[in-house]
């Protein structure tokens, strides 16, 4: 039988659940360090475990992409759920510097800047906790101090949204001069989109490949051949073409890439991977002989 639980508590509670003799398998979604610990403890007890960790999802925009459609999709991916979902994009790599690239970035800022605080359709709510808010503010501050350009600043929401009550921070778009900035490489988990102009396809894919996470990636283009080039080279398990939230539909399964910080353990949590995880394959080998004739 399968039981879903919402468990409150710290490490002792998690360890007790994993160690319990009546628990044969565990699924987990959370930060990479905790996912690794959960997976390691489960396997110590020879139990199945699917533990999905963090993410740093990359979007790559080529000059031939449809500006209006791409900009809307980029903002939905980065700012939906206040950027606090595992499929949220947090890095936009724009290939080249020119008029199409500037038009795309301007449109992204415009669409993101039109979002209002709230919990209704088209609005964006607060982040989950004061600690999360403080972490996001620290990354924005570090980027500013490091010379990055804040194209859209969400900090005013801290005092203006929700009447100053709640963990509010608005959509933030940062243009970086270096792909080594912390906000370009580390999981922020908030409504912050880091933008970097790559000089070539090779530089763009190198930035995506060098990240230790391996959850999702997307390319925006009007050319199928260009799309194939990137999907053949992305280092992530859920890939999109002009879709910034590339959640696979069944029977294909949801989960990060083995060997990265996005995935520990066995199988995935949906689709055919989940069927394999939550069931046992029973193999029957039979031989019939000496059966009396009905005549």
């Amino acid at each position: 039988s399968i039981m879903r639980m919402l468990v409150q508590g710290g490490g002792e509670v998690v360890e007790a659940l994993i160690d319990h003799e009546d628990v044969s398998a565990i699924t987990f979604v959370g930060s990479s360090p905790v996912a690794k610990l959960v997976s390691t403890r489960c396997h110590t007890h020879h139990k199945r475990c699917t533990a999905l960790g963090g993410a740093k999802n990359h979007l790559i925009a080529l000059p031939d992409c449809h500006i209006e459609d791409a900009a809307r999709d980029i903002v939905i991916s980065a700012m939906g759920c206040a950027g606090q979902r595992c499929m949220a994009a947090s890095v936009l790599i724009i290939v080249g510097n020119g008029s199409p690239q500037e038009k795309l970035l301007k449109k992204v800022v415009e669409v993101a800047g039109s979002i209002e605080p709230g919990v209704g359709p088209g609005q964006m709510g607060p982040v989950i906790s004061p600690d999360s808010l403080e972490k996001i503010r620290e990354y924005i501050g570090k980027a500013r101090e490091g010379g990055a350009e804040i194209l859209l600043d969400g900090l005013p929401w801290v005092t203006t949204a929700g009447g100053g009550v709640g963990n509010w921070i608005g959509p933030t778009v940062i243009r970086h001069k270096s792909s080594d900035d912390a906000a370009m490489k580390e999981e922020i988990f908030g409504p912050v989109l880091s933008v970097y102009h790559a000089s070539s396809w090779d530089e763009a894919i190198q930035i995506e490949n060098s990240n230790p996470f391996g959850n999702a990636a997307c390319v925006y283009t009007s050319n199928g051949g260009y799309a194939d080039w990137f999907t053949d080279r992305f280092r992530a398990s859920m890939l999109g073409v002009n879709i910034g939230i590339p959640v696979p539909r069944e029977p294909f399964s949801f989960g990060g890439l083995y060997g990265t910080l996005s995935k520990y353990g066995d199988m995935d949590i949906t689709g055919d991977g989940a069927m394999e995880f939550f069931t046992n394959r029973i193999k029957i080998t039979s031989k019939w002989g000496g059966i009396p004739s009905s005549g």
Side-chain angles (χ1 to χ4, degrees):
S1 62
I2 299 174
M3 178 174 61
R4 294 182 177 179
M5 298 178 63
L6 178 63
V7 180
Q8 296 289 338
E12 292 182 0
V13 175
V14 175
E15 291 174 0
L17 180 63
I18 294 172
D19 296 349
H20 198 284
E21 61 182 11
D22 291 337
V23 175
S24 58
I26 293 284
T27 62
F28 170 87
V29 178
S31 68
S32 297
V34 178
K36 183 177 181 179
L37 291 172
V38 169
S39 175
T40 300
R41 194 172 188 93
C42 283
H43 289 151
T44 298
H45 294 289
H46 307 293
K47 296 182 178 183
R48 295 185 195 181
C49 175
T50 291
L52 303 184
K56 192 70 176 176
N57 303 322
H58 290 64
L59 310 176
I60 296 179
L62 303 186
D64 72 320
C65 73
H66 189 284
I67 291 175
E68 296 281 341
D69 291 348
R72 284 194 298 269
D73 195 74
I74 289 165
V75 172
I76 290 171
S77 179
M79 308 306 171
C81 299
Q84 296 200 308
R85 55 183 172 184
C86 57
M87 293 301 289
S90 54
V91 174
L92 170 62
I93 301 173
I94 300 176
V95 178
N97 280 286
S99 178
Q101 292 87 342
E102 285 303 315
K103 287 180 180 178
L104 173 63
L105 185 52
K106 182 179 179 180
K107 191 64 181 180
V108 167
V109 173
E110 177 188 322
V111 174
S114 69
I115 298 174
E116 296 181 353
V119 294
Q123 297 179 325
M124 193 180 84
V127 295
I128 192 65
S129 68
D131 287 344
S132 178
L133 174 60
E134 184 58 31
K135 176 184 176 182
I136 296 166
R137 294 182 65 174
E138 288 178 359
Y139 273 102
I140 296 172
K142 289 179 182 177
R144 194 191 309 269
E145 293 168 4
E149 182 183 3
I150 310 298
L151 300 179
L152 180 63
D153 194 347
L155 290 178
W157 278 30
V158 174
T159 55
T160 61
V165 179
N167 311 306
W168 294 92
I169 188 161
T172 300
V173 180
I174 306 172
R175 174 151 50 183
H176 295 264
K177 298 177 181 178
S178 171
S179 61
D180 289 326
D181 288 353
M184 283 284 297
K185 302 175 71 173
E186 300 170 11
E187 185 178 35
I188 301 174
F189 208 60
V192 179
L193 181 65
S194 291
V195 181
Y196 178 79
H197 288 269
S199 60
S200 65
W201 291 13
D202 287 333
E203 183 187 11
I205 204 69
Q206 187 276 328
I207 293 171
E208 190 275 339
N209 284 182
S210 64
N211 196 270
F213 299 97
N215 191 56
C218 168
V219 60
Y220 293 97
T221 178
S222 299
N223 186 299
Y226 297 171
D228 286 347
W229 191 93
F230 281 93
T231 55
D232 285 346
R233 291 165 175 79
F234 278 136
R235 185 176 175 265
S237 64
M238 294 179 283
L239 308 181
V241 177
N242 300 316
I243 298 177
I245 310 173
V247 177
R249 299 269 65 90
E250 287 72 12
F252 304 106
S253 55
F254 182 102
L257 188 70
Y258 282 115
T260 71
L261 296 184
S262 294
K263 178 160 185 185
Y264 297 89
D266 318 296
M267 305 301 168
D268 287 327
I269 59 174
T270 64
D272 54 0
M275 292 296 295
E276 186 76 12
F277 182 87
F278 289 110
T279 62
N280 287 310
R281 288 179 178 264
I282 305 299
K283 283 75 68 174
I284 300 175
T285 305
S286 301
K287 181 178 181 181
W288 302 91
I291 300 176
S293 172
S294 60

